[in-house]
Amino acid sequence: MSPHDRALPDEPDESGAAGRPTADRPGAHPSADLTIDLTAHEMLRRAHVLDALGPDWDPVTALRDEEAAYELLYSGLDAEQQRMYDELVAAGVLPRRGGGHAAA
């Protein structure tokens, strides 16, 4: 059967609904729950990430380097930049670092 040979939906009934019966209409077909387990896919994705990082990747060093980069990013701010930084921290947009102020 080709896609063009499909039957057209039923004519609308008095409620305006057309097509197959639904759960709120008499003679409705039961619905089926669809569950997809992505565990195997997630494990494969993680394996690919670790392969891409290579055997020399050290997560502790990576986190330390990231913290150092943030300290550099928010260091040497002028008064207006410091005010804006403090507002963003207070609003929860940026995480509080150190004593709550950017490094001088």
Side-chain angles (χ1 to χ4, degrees), residues 58-68:
D58 179 10
V60 175
T61 301
L63 287 173
R64 279 192 207 127
D65 291 347
E66 185 176 335
E67 286 296 319

Side-chain angles (χ1 to χ4, degrees), residues 18-45:
R20 294 185 179 161
T22 60
D24 59 342
R25 291 176 39 196
H29 298 292
S31 63
D33 289 333
L34 178 64
T35 303
I36 300 173
D37 184 2
L38 297 175
T39 305
H41 177 74
E42 177 62 15
M43 295 308 294
L44 181 62
R45 185 195 67 81

Side-chain angles (χ1 to χ4, degrees), residues 73-86 102-104:
L73 179 64
Y74 297 115
S75 66
L77 302 179
D78 64 27
E80 176 63 17
Q81 291 168 331
Q82 183 66 52
R83 183 191 64 74
M84 181 60 66
Y85 172 83
D86 292 338

